[in-house]
Amino acid sequence: MMPDDSMVAMRAALLSARDVLSFVRLSRTPKHADVLDGFITHVGDKWALVQTTRDGSYSDGWNAFRIVDVAQVKPHGETFETRVSERQPEWPPRAPFPLELDETADLLLSVPRSELIGIEKERRRAAVWIGQVVEVDQRRVRLHEVDPRARWADEPLGYRLGAISRVQLRSTCITALSSVIDLTIDGGWSPGRP
């Protein structure tokens, strides 16, 4: 874990990037962490939110990431990507819905139940579990998962909150998957309905 002074400095760097909507590259410390390119839009006590970009600087959804995992916030400087982003209909970037970024449980509880999300445990493996949040307590989240064939799992599975290092929202993959899933799971449970 990062010392408190480093956490304060990293949080300040993220706030600075947010304030000027600077196109940045985020390097992070978990073993299987991807580098994230994009625009920081929100910074909480423990988590921050970046509108992620893909090649050509087009939006690729949102990634909430733990501040403690950030190794470097590097501004891209004057690049064509910033100019391309500024010409997109979603400029300036805004979160798709209000998110709580102070605690992991609050972050997951603030995601609407109808949303598919991806959670990652990047310290252990390079994998994304995609599904809908069913229940959150102070230690675990239960996620009703969707497989790569757009089929719902039979039962929700639990994941320790402390292991989650990144939460994906509305990425190209998640948006595509959302467009083809069945809305009602056999047995009567219907995602998206409380």
Side-chain angles (χ1 to χ4, degrees):
M1 224 157 138
M2 200 183 310
D4 287 339
D5 290 346
S6 296
M7 177 80 164
V8 169
M10 198 55 65
R11 191 168 183 281
L14 292 167
L15 286 166
S16 177
R18 179 205 64 190
D19 291 346
V20 297
L21 275 180
S22 173
F23 185 47
V24 297
R25 170 162 284 184
L26 299 169
S27 300
R28 296 174 308 116
T29 58
K31 181 178 180 180
H32 301 285
D34 293 331
V35 170
L36 299 175
D37 291 318
F39 299 91
I40 305 297
T41 61
H42 298 79
V43 180
D45 289 343
K46 293 185 179 178
W47 289 80
L49 187 68
V50 59
Q51 182 191 38
T52 317
T53 59
R54 62 181 190 269
D55 289 345
S57 197
Y58 294 99
S59 175
D60 191 18
W62 301 87
N63 279 271
F65 58 91
R66 293 184 322 173
I67 296 170
V68 71
D69 292 335
V70 178
Q72 184 180 34
V73 179
K74 183 179 178 186
H76 275 280
E78 271 303 309
T79 64
F80 82 93
E81 286 99 340
T82 300
R83 293 194 309 265
V84 169
S85 294
E86 289 172 349
R87 291 186 172 114
Q88 299 307 308
E90 60 269 0
W91 186 264
R94 288 180 214 63
F97 36 80
L99 289 167
E100 297 293 329
L101 297 170
D102 293 337
E103 298 290 339
T104 306
D106 295 336
L107 166 61
L108 294 168
L109 285 168
S110 65
V111 175
R113 295 290 170 121
S114 60
E115 287 283 326
L116 279 185
I117 66 168
I119 61 171
E120 296 185 56
K121 303 185 300 181
E122 298 163 308
R123 286 178 302 238
R124 294 189 181 181
R125 58 174 38 172
V128 180
W129 291 271
I130 297 174
Q132 289 181 327
V133 173
V134 174
E135 182 180 23
V136 180
D137 61 32
Q138 291 305 310
R139 296 183 60 190
R140 299 182 82 73
V141 59
R142 291 185 63 225
L143 192 71
H144 207 128
E145 294 179 35
V146 178
D147 71 18
R149 293 181 285 188
R151 293 187 306 195
W152 293 99
D154 292 334
E155 297 291 329
L157 295 176
Y159 298 93
R160 282 188 32 251
L161 296 181
I164 299 170
S165 59
R166 179 171 148 188
V167 177
Q168 294 183 23
L169 305 161
R170 296 191 179 179
S171 68
T172 304
C173 176
I174 290 173
T175 300
L177 191 55
S178 295
S179 73
V180 296
I181 59 173
D182 292 329
L183 295 179
T184 305
I185 296 172
D186 292 339
W189 185 77
S190 178
R193 293 187 189 141

